[in-house]
Amino acid sequence: MTAIAIIGGSGLYHLEEIENSRSETISTPYGEPSDALTTGTLRGQSVIFLARHGVAHTIPPHRVNYRANLWALKHCGARTVISVCAVGGIRADIKPGSVIVPDQIIDYTWSREHTLYEPGLAEVTHIDFTEPYCTELRTAFITAAIEAGIEVITTATYGATQGPRLETAAEINRMEKDGCDIVGMTGMPEASLARELGLCYAAIAVSANDAAGRGTGPIEMEQIMNNLESGMRNIKRILLDVLQARQ
Ligand code: HPA
């Protein structure tokens, strides 16, 4: 059976609305996913939920086994993957709590396992990645947000950094010159692995803070967590409406 997968990032570790939920522990040729998958139904749709950092948030961005996560979701029937993520806002109109549907990516990560094309496991293909996100899914997020009266930023370039430290002000200035509007640590290689697997993948982001050097003073974890809590309420509403609309 095909399902819609949701990868929850910082601030989204469970979806308690999932009905008939079952926990499934999956092993993959690429190692262990971040946690057990939760399968069930939500708004009449078959869904699979996975906490990207583990349910107890024990896995930092550079240690997430992105390959195992995506492979496991596809193995369990996912053909569409919704990535929920927290970001910092670089562009002036992106404020803490803003909801963003990015349309482009610049990858600054390094030394992460970024491809499934390992000898003996998969034949090498050079995937097209001109448009890194699934247009149909992006449109569904934007439509649901507008219909729910939630302000949404409909185009943004996501700069993926290595972490786990936050950036310097100079790094953010450089990223802005490159064309980045938001910064996060988990957008890559998740998006390109999803493409390698032929999955329809798009991200919906909530801004947790002004990026380094853009706010007043240092970035505090407490401030990030508070902003995420309020932003996630909007994200959840959008998620549920997107699922409902797919019936
Ligand atoms: N930088 C990188 N990743 C992030 C940030 C940030 O400022 N905020 C939330 N995730």
Side-chain angles (χ1 to χ4, degrees), residues 161 163-168 171 185 209 212 219-221 224:
T161 55
R165 70 165 175 84
L166 294 162
E167 300 70 35
T168 66
E171 285 169 337
M185 299 175 191
N209 55 283
I219 302 167
E220 310 281 358
M221 271 316 283
I224 291 189

Side-chain angles (χ1 to χ4, degrees), residues 35 42 51 58 99 153 159 171 176-177 206 223 229 237 240:
D35 215 318
L42 193 51
T58 46
V99 172
I153 290 167
E171 285 169 337
E176 183 173 47
K177 283 202 197 105
V206 58
Q223 167 209 359
E229 210 179 297
R237 168 81 201 268
L240 295 177

